Amino acid sequence: MSGAKCTRLSGTLIKQLLDSVDSILFDCDGVIWRGDQAIPGAPEVVNLLKKNGKNVFFVTNNSSKTRRLYADKMSLLGFNVSEDDVFGTAYCSAMYLKTVCKLQGKVYLVGSNAMKQELEAVGIQQTGVGPDPVTGKHGDWANVPLDPEVKAVVVGFDEHFSYMKLNRAMQYLSQGCLFVGTNRDSRLPLEGGKAVPGTGCILQAVETAAQRQAQTVGKPNQFMFDCVASQHGVERGRCLMVGDRLDTDILLGSNCGLKTVLTLTGVSTVAEAQEHLKSGCPERQGMVPDYYVESIADLLPALRE
Amino acid sequence: MSGAKCTRLSGTLIKQLLDSVDSILFDCDGVIWRGDQAIPGAPEVVNLLKKNGKNVFFVTNNSSKTRRLYADKMSLLGFNVSEDDVFGTAYCSAMYLKTVCKLQGKVYLVGSNAMKQELEAVGIQQTGVGPDPVTGKHGDWANVPLDPEVKAVVVGFDEHFSYMKLNRAMQYLSQGCLFVGTNRDSRLPLEGGKAVPGTGCILQAVETAAQRQAQTVGKPNQFMFDCVASQHGVERGRCLMVGDRLDTDILLGSNCGLKTVLTLTGVSTVAEAQEHLKSGCPERQGMVPDYYVESIADLLPALRE
């Protein structure tokens, strides 16, 4: 196989690459779907990979769904997937708090119902989700009631994020709580080039208020890969990471010694990858993929043989 | 007078400094008050300065009050002040949009009722303040209804800041609207070392989502000084800026060629000022004050003579 980086994956190279791996990790948003629409051909790619004996896993920074809900969405879109194969940051954050932080105490949660459920599933209590309406006056907010059992602030995607939540998170963090974020993605891409604000925006606001940096669980943190590897026995040298973002997916793959493919159905472009490559800057080389495809549907001809 | 920087202001030096200026600009939070409490002695300092023929102005990055409300608060705390002497970022942002941007169109406002009133006072329409509750599903948010007359997004302090407002601001900014912020202060200090999140947190969230930088009107932007100078004919060389923050108040003073005094009743410390001084870094020298005082009450002996 070629030693060059950022090569277009086509022809016989596809089969060579697939033969060289046992496990394939796919990002979700921008890779196998956009919003509520599957990328055309993606379900067939995933199902054929599994039929050909590959282990297929899904590794997403999105924290808005439980593993169960991801598996349901995937089934609906035609992917043949089990809940155990899905690693979202709602689940991985709960695992991180339990296994790495060994948290003894409650979580103040800026996040979704899915995060609440994944925390509860590993036995971690949290303070509740949903709106936190404005109460009292400006001078009272620094004295907002806090739960003394809270030992960690966890920030993920929260459609009910508000100034009051920002304030409450800041007050807990001023007391020295652990500070964990699901991910730093600034936008959630949708169909037609549209997007909505991502968890990165919420996390930035909390970090600015707290004057502290969160530890983020999501890609490019290797913890996401460790979660998959520890549960499914993945061999790094025979594993492929497929994603649409250079700064999360491809960097995770590089950090973990995986083969990497950038797909162009999401956020990053080949031009951006080539700029990283040409920069000569060592810390940017991790964001250069081994290969790129227009869409993961480009794998179909090799799989149908 | 001494050419040294960051000198403690005491003894005869106080009278020499006051004799060398005609106008004195005070920051408010952490300088003349903290929360709802006047700094002890501050009203007497301000009133005696005026009695001694000095022009006294108030220049605050806080956007939560109109000039009228500031004057009312000051009167209540014992300061002898007219509305025309107060320059907050609610007022200055409205002036900036009108005189610098020459805005033709409406404002999408992430801000307070005070900002609404100051915009209306200069004839600029805005889309309203208050809560923006969660509606619809994730996939719909990128298509949230937008007002086609909106030509600027303005971000200030907003206790009703929410994910929906963040999203709406992002969608307007994706269409190429002007992007103006009141200020970047990350925290609002309160009594007893407490604080609540400042506008800087909100602005960071919107900037991260929009992948654009806002133009901020507040200190250290010289526009704040220009507002005072254009309305009151202030001579830079005979003007003193008194503030508690090196990165806003003192930097504004340095940027405008004013004399500067750091007061230690707020955010910054002498140690921080000395670090800037010793750094040898040219861009940090603007954050070194000429003088410092424990409190502006230190000026009282010279004023009572």
Side-chain angles (χ1 to χ4, degrees), chain B:
Chain B
M1 286 169 86
S2 162
K5 297 273 280 182
C6 205
T7 306
R8 189 189 181 108
L9 190 62
S10 62
T12 54
L13 209 51
I14 300 175
K15 195 165 179 312
Q16 284 177 42
L17 176 64
L18 293 178
D19 284 347
S20 76
V21 299
D22 303 320
S23 300
I24 301 170
L25 272 55
F26 285 103
D27 175 39
C28 297
D29 294 294
V31 175
I32 63 166
W33 64 53
R34 267 190 308 238
D36 288 328
Q37 312 256 323
I39 297 285
E44 200 186 344
V45 168
V46 165
N47 298 343
L48 283 172
L49 283 167
K50 296 187 82 165
K51 203 173 157 194
N52 289 356
K54 304 296 183 191
N55 303 310
V56 179
F57 305 108
F58 301 90
V59 185
T60 172
N61 274 359
N62 193 310
S63 61
S64 63
K65 289 187 173 61
T66 58
R67 302 179 95 181
R68 175 76 261 147
L69 286 171
Y70 273 117
D72 291 349
K73 174 173 178 175
M74 286 174 178
S75 295
L76 208 65
L77 294 177
F79 296 92
N80 173 17
V81 167
S82 135
E83 185 177 340
D84 293 343
D85 302 334
V86 187
F87 296 80
T89 51
Y91 169 73
C92 291
S93 298
M95 288 301 287
Y96 184 82
L97 288 162
K98 188 183 168 77
T99 63
V100 178
C101 307
K102 302 190 193 306
L103 179 69
Q104 302 284 332
K106 277 192 200 171
V107 163
Y108 174 66
L109 182 58
V110 176
S112 60
N113 207 39
M115 293 178 69
K116 174 175 181 277
Q117 288 172 35
E118 296 287 21
L119 286 169
E120 284 172 353
V122 300
I124 295 175
Q125 283 190 286
Q126 44 69 54
T127 52
V129 293
D132 186 355
V134 177
T135 52
K137 281 174 57 193
H138 167 255
D140 306 325
W141 298 335
N143 300 311
V144 73
L146 302 181
D147 182 335
E149 290 177 47
V150 166
K151 303 296 177 205
V153 170
V154 179
V155 175
F157 186 79
D158 186 350
E159 67 191 54
H160 297 288
F161 179 65
S162 65
Y163 182 79
M164 287 296 129
K165 288 193 171 189
L166 173 62
N167 177 55
R168 221 177 280 265
M170 171 182 157
Q171 304 306 334
Y172 278 118
L173 290 166
S174 298
Q175 298 187 337
C177 279
L178 280 176
F179 187 12
V180 171
T182 55
N183 64 300
R184 295 191 181 277
D185 300 62
S186 57
R187 289 181 169 195
L188 288 173
L190 298 172
E191 267 304 328
K194 301 223 170 197
V196 293
T199 303
C201 308
I202 299 172
L203 191 55
Q204 272 279 344
V206 178
E207 289 183 329
T208 303
Q211 301 174 347
R212 284 176 59 185
Q213 287 277 106
Q215 175 64 53
T216 48
V217 169
K219 299 169 286 184
N221 188 334
Q222 299 195 32
F223 182 76
M224 292 289 280
F225 177 76
D226 295 342
C227 264
V228 184
S230 66
Q231 291 178 28
H232 296 280
V234 175
E235 190 187 333
R236 286 166 191 252
R238 293 190 57 82
C239 180
L240 175 65
M241 173 77 216
V242 183
D244 71 314
R245 291 188 68 129
L246 301 172
D247 58 347
T248 55
D249 303 316
I250 303 306
L251 189 54
L252 173 77
S254 305
N255 286 344
C256 296
L258 318 182
K259 296 177 176 71
T260 54
V261 173
L262 174 71
T263 178
L264 302 178
T265 47
V267 171
S268 299
T269 64
V270 175
E272 287 163 358
Q274 283 165 341
E275 270 174 46
H276 289 311
L277 181 59
K278 287 180 202 151
S279 72
C281 183
E283 58 265 38
R284 290 175 66 182
Q285 299 311 307
M287 290 191 278
V288 182
D290 296 319
Y291 305 98
Y292 69 90
V293 290
E294 291 294 325
S295 155
I296 63 166
D298 292 4
L299 306 179
L300 275 178
L303 290 167
R304 283 178 182 149
E305 276 169 17

